[in-house]
């Protein structure tokens, strides 16, 4: 399995309302993409100084499933309607997951 982890920093002026709308849209999107084994998205709790404003963690079976998720029309729609205009900086990594780890 693969963990796809993405963090974002927002442009100036992004409101809590826009972040809430994004989170709702991402959660609806995740329900419609069957290759996602696990999915979580949300604002950083800022329990430590620094860090990103927001993160998404998606678990998929393999590289083909990751491509299917990232190329899915629902993903493109959320990016176009919500996420794209909010991003100042984005960082992504893919990590291998083995049995008994994050699922």
């Amino acid at each position: 399995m693969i963990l796809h982890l993405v963090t974002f920093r927002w442009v100036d002026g992004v409101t809590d309302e826009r972040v809430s709308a994004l989170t709702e849209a991402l959660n609806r999107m995740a329900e419609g993409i069957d290759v996602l084994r696990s999915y979580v998205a949300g604002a950083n709790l800022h329990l430590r100084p620094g860090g990103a404003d927001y993160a998404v963690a998606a678990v998929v079976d393999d590289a083909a499933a990751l491509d299917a998720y990232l190329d899915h029309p629902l993903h493109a729609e959320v990016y176009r309607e919500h996420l794209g205009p909010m991003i100042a900086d984005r960082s992504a990594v893919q990590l291998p997951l083995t049995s008994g780890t994050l699922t």
Side-chain angles (χ1 to χ4, degrees):
M1 288 189 298
I2 297 170
L3 168 64
H4 175 66
L5 181 61
V6 186
T7 62
F8 302 95
R9 288 188 189 273
W10 299 142
V11 296
D12 291 338
V14 171
T15 64
D16 290 342
E17 291 79 18
R18 287 180 68 191
V19 173
S20 292
L22 168 65
T23 302
E24 290 174 19
L26 287 170
N27 288 328
R28 281 192 311 273
M29 173 209 71
E31 292 173 3
I33 302 178
D34 63 357
V35 297
L36 292 172
R37 293 180 58 100
S38 180
Y39 190 87
V40 62
N44 185 352
L45 298 175
H46 292 289
L47 301 176
R48 307 287 293 175
D53 294 314
Y54 198 90
V56 171
V59 176
V60 295
D61 285 331
D62 53 28
L66 179 64
D67 288 343
Y69 157 58
L70 294 175
D71 295 338
H72 198 284
L74 292 174
H75 184 268
E77 179 182 337
V78 171
Y79 187 90
R80 182 179 61 253
E81 298 295 324
H82 296 276
L83 190 56
M86 298 168 65
I87 299 171
D89 186 51
R90 176 188 176 276
S91 180
V93 296
Q94 294 78 43
L95 304 172
L97 291 180
T98 59
S99 180
T101 63
L102 180 68
T103 56

